[in-house]
Amino acid sequence: MANRFARKTGNWNASDVWSDTPSGTAGAQYIPGPGDVAMANSYTVTVNVDSTCAEVRTDTTGGATTGGRFTLADGVTLTANPYAGSTICVYYAGSATANVVGNVNGGTSSTNAYGANNAGAGTLNVTGNASAGSAASSVGVLNSGAGNITVSGNVAAGTSASTFGASNTSSGNITISGVVYGSASAHGVQNSGIGTITIDADAIGGSGSNTHGAYNSSTGTIIVNGEAVGGSGSNSIGAYNASLGTMRVAVAVGNNHGPGYSTNNGNPGVYGYGTNSGGQPTTTVGAIRYGAYGQSPTSGRVLFDPNYAASATTVLIRESTLEQVTFTGPDNTSADPDPADVRHGTSYRFGQQVGTCHVPPAGSVAVGVPVDDETGTAVLSGGGGATAQDIWEYSDRTLTSGGGGGGGATAQEVWEYSARTLTDKANFTLHADYDAAKTAASQASVNAVPTAPLLAANYTAPDNAGIASTLAAVNALHDFDPASDTVAHVTLVDTVTTLTNSPDVPSESEIATAVWEHTERTLSEDGGGASPTEIADAVRDELAPELASITALETRLEEQVPTGPVVVLPAPGPGQTVAWTMCYDEHGAAETGVVIQIKLVQPAGAGLALDGAVVEAVSDGDGLVTVAIPRGAGLRFSARRWTEVLRATWLGRRLDAVQWGGRRHRGVAGSARFAVIAPRTAPGDAL
């Protein structure tokens, strides 16, 4: 953060106004920016463009000369925290709008050093808090013209006499969104003009003597839309109307003075003094709330404000318990019960409402059922009550317990009783719809019904002997032996047999598994399907391309791979070829331990370096010699059996393996073949 000092009176964005020292040379590089502190340095700087820095000051910070000011042009926004020194810090006298985004602070070294002052007809908007200074009359924000000031934050008084957080001295208006606080030395806000100060939150009295939250000293108006709360100092009222002006407060609240008090000075929330020419008080409240220890919320001449009729309440403190008791006015129905919840005929809300709820007497309510402040006592009886027919024909017939100590059976006990027999009662008859049932048959005719189920005419029931004969014949059917007994006539009936008819037959899944796992599965023609020959032909046709490829590969291998034993060679390394040969003794048998020497005798191209080192390899138990050599076209190698003078030479290949041999050279110990053959070449290989 750097200090910037005005060197002359001029515009904020002028290159010849600012320096980095109080008496230094000005330059465009010193125009204040974010994080800088701009010092008026006794000069007047006009903020002609939107500007941003940390602070703007008219004191002696950084060695500056006290005084000067920052004057706002119409339409600009200054984003900074203003600090007054011995003079006004931010000044606006325009007719449109100007803005300060920051917390405004009154002066500390001289009187009337306002943090911000609107002296014109326009509107000065402060987005932040406003606080008075420590020098006398160093107000936080002052409205001395016909215009307006709006403060979005809180407003607080200073520490010296008349250091109001906000002051209106003319016909203009001040609107404050936050809370207003009196201090030990001054009021939070004072209206000594004819305009209006509106506080949308609370106004709280100070801690000093006669330091009110909001003080109306002339014919202007103060409106508190929140609460006006008494302070702790002597005669420090939340909102004090001291003259003929108008004061309107939403809620007046007494401070915490009383038995068991937390403050020694009893102060109301609102005091009303002034009257107009008609003699009527001009101080009104919408609701009152006594302090926590019983301090009265108002004093002086204060009336109820009908503008708050819909929300008017009075809160008193109950003796000994200190509980709050709330009373509401005739227009405040927010806490009223619905008429349907109030006993029929009961009047309330000052006669404006009458209850409509009909509460039956206990004698008309069943025993044990709650009603009013007791329970029902009614029990059904035959004396003049409903008849049995009335009860039986009633649409709902639900048994309920008597309860209440009546000793009657419960519905559950009636239902579970072991004997439920209808008994005859006087005057009890069945409905006419059942007359036919009553006369359809007599008891005697019912008793005469035979127990045998067959009543057909001419039917003769079998006697005991006939029944025994029939039973013997039935039993004989179970003893039938097809091998020895004869049947005169048997009629076969078509049946359907499934694999699951018998518990001894394996399941379908078991049969399918056994068939599939059988070692021999021979295809046979069945049900019009393909024959085995047709299936085989189809398989051959499907595999014909693959079979042809296999045949061609076999033919090629036969052409390229000589007959004889299979030689297994190690895989070559990167850029190498495996050279190999077979060693034999003079009898033609594979010879072990033969030393073979190989040497590169010609590089791949003219003028290239030649590595002529000799590489040796020894034959194994099968007479096989393998050795890794450089790989590439154009290379020429020489090889010899160590005991022989004759050599064989060959050209290099881009192959994985080469064999030398072809001629048999007799030596002292045996022979070796020296020649190079390539069983198969890859595309691009040099042979």
Side-chain angles (χ1 to χ4, degrees):
M1 182 171 65
N3 292 331
R4 296 291 185 252
F5 302 87
R7 296 293 293 115
K8 59 179 290 188
T9 295
N11 290 333
W12 179 282
N13 62 347
S15 61
D16 60 345
V17 168
W18 297 99
S19 176
D20 62 341
T21 62
S23 58
T25 302
Q29 69 272 26
Y30 302 125
I31 296 174
D36 294 336
V37 176
M39 307 298 301
N41 201 27
S42 77
Y43 297 103
T44 297
V45 178
T46 299
V47 183
N48 61 321
V49 294
D50 291 346
S51 304
T52 299
C53 64
E55 300 171 357
V56 290
R57 309 182 75 103
T58 60
D59 58 9
T60 60
T61 297
T65 301
T66 187
R69 69 173 55 169
F70 296 90
T71 299
L72 303 181
D74 279 338
V76 301
T77 296
L78 172 62
T79 302
N81 294 323
Y83 289 87
S86 61
T87 57
I88 298 171
C89 186
V90 175
Y91 180 80
Y92 177 61
S95 59
T97 301
N99 306 287
V100 174
V101 180
N103 298 320
V104 179
N105 300 274
T108 58
S109 61
S110 298
T111 60
N112 301 319
Y114 314 132
N117 176 205
N118 182 14
T123 297
L124 175 61
N125 298 311
V126 176
T127 304
N129 301 322
S131 301
S134 58
S137 302
S138 295
V139 175
V141 292
L142 171 67
N143 192 34
S144 59
N148 304 301
I149 292 179
T150 65
V151 180
S152 67
N154 300 327
V155 173
T159 57
S160 296
S162 300
T163 51
F164 313 128
S167 177
N168 186 49
T169 61
S170 186
S171 59
N173 306 303
I174 298 177
T175 300
I176 301 168
S177 298
V179 178
V180 173
Y181 299 92
S183 68
S185 304
H187 313 311
V189 299
Q190 174 172 292
N191 188 7
S192 59
I194 61 174
T196 299
I197 295 179
T198 301
I199 303 169
D200 288 331
D202 300 337
I204 302 175
S207 59
S209 177
N210 296 303
T211 54
H212 312 303
Y215 184 70
N216 193 27
S217 63
S218 185
T219 58
T221 299
I222 290 182
I223 299 173
V224 181
N225 290 321
E227 296 180 349
V229 183
S232 61
S234 175
N235 195 41
S236 294
I237 315 302
Y240 193 105
N241 192 15
S243 186
L244 300 178
T246 298
M247 178 171 284
R248 293 172 52 195
V249 178
V251 182
V253 182
N255 71 352
N256 290 333
H257 175 75
Y261 57 84
S262 60
T263 178
N264 193 37
N265 298 301
N267 294 315
V270 175
Y271 174 81
Y273 170 78
T275 60
N276 59 20
S277 59
Q280 294 298 319
T282 55
T283 304
T284 58
V285 296
I288 58 175
R289 186 170 77 240
Y290 280 71
Y293 300 95
Q295 172 59 44
S296 174
T298 64
S299 64
R301 304 183 66 184
V302 180
L303 294 182
F304 171 70
D305 190 340
N307 292 296
Y308 295 97
S311 59
T313 58
T314 297
V315 180
L316 297 176
I317 304 302
R318 190 184 301 276
E319 183 183 7
S320 71
T321 63
L322 299 182
E323 294 176 323
Q324 292 186 347
V325 180
T326 302
F327 299 89
T328 60
D331 296 321
N332 185 350
T333 60
S334 60
D336 288 354
D338 188 274
D341 296 327
V342 178
R343 184 187 294 272
H344 179 264
T346 301
S347 176
Y348 64 103
R349 178 46 60 191
F350 306 100
Q352 298 176 10
Q353 298 284 359
V354 178
T356 60
C357 177
H358 291 270
V359 181
S364 299
V365 179
V367 171
V369 177
V371 60
D372 204 3
D373 59 349
E374 55 183 327
T375 59
T377 60
V379 178
L380 290 177
S381 63
T387 64
Q389 186 68 20
D390 294 334
I391 296 174
W392 181 257
E393 294 179 348
Y394 194 68
S395 58
D396 293 328
R397 294 181 295 279
T398 303
L399 289 173
T400 57
S401 300
T410 65
Q412 187 68 19
E413 290 171 342
V414 172
W415 180 255
E416 294 176 350
Y417 194 66
S418 59
R420 292 183 294 277
T421 305
L422 288 175
T423 57
D424 194 12
K425 295 291 183 181
N427 301 321
F428 177 77
T429 57
L430 290 175
H431 193 274
D433 291 343
Y434 299 99
D435 287 345
K438 292 190 297 181
T439 59
S442 64
Q443 185 62 49
S445 61
V446 172
N447 293 338
V449 175
T451 56
L454 298 177
L455 299 176
N458 301 322
Y459 171 74
T460 302
D463 54 15
N464 291 338
I467 294 174
S469 175
T470 302
L471 178 60
V474 172
N475 291 335
L477 293 177
H478 296 286
D479 299 329
F480 176 73
D481 184 0
S484 59
D485 296 337
T486 60
V487 180
H489 179 72
V490 176
T491 300
L492 297 179
V493 180
D494 290 339
T495 61
V496 177
T497 301
T498 66
L499 293 176
T500 58
N501 284 119
S502 171
D504 297 330
V505 178
S507 66
E508 296 178 10
S509 175
E510 293 172 340
I511 294 174
T513 301
V515 171
W516 179 254
E517 294 177 350
H518 195 64
T519 56
E520 295 182 2
R521 293 186 290 276
T522 304
L523 294 173
S524 60
E525 297 184 39
D526 185 26
S531 67
T533 301
E534 292 172 338
I535 295 174
D537 291 342
V539 172
R540 292 191 187 94
D541 293 341
E542 182 70 22
L543 299 178
E546 288 76 5
L547 294 175
S549 298
I550 294 173
T551 301
L553 180 61
E554 292 175 346
T555 302
R556 189 168 185 179
L557 289 175
E558 291 176 356
E559 295 174 352
Q560 296 184 5
V561 178
T563 60
V566 176
V567 177
V568 179
L569 303 179
Q576 292 183 329
T577 296
V578 176
W580 66 279
T581 189
M582 299 296 297
C583 296
Y584 305 93
D585 60 12
E586 61 271 21
H587 303 293
E591 188 173 6
T592 302
V594 178
V595 178
I596 300 298
Q597 294 182 336
I598 302 174
K599 180 180 180 181
L600 176 66
V601 297
Q602 179 176 322
L608 299 180
L610 174 65
D611 183 3
V614 175
V615 179
E616 291 187 352
V618 181
S619 63
D620 61 13
D622 296 324
L624 173 66
V625 180
T626 61
V627 62
I629 60 175
R631 179 174 182 170
L635 299 177
R636 183 179 295 277
F637 297 88
S638 172
R640 72 173 183 173
R641 182 175 175 133
W642 177 245
T643 57
E644 295 182 358
V645 177
L646 294 178
R647 291 179 174 85
T649 61
W650 71 91
L651 293 176
R653 302 288 197 271
R654 288 207 300 272
L655 302 173
D656 287 339
V658 296
Q659 178 193 14
W660 70 88
R663 298 194 307 276
R664 181 179 298 275
H665 300 279
R666 296 289 180 180
V668 176
S671 64
R673 296 178 181 272
F674 299 101
V676 178
I677 63 172
R680 182 176 181 181
T681 61
D685 285 341
L687 299 178

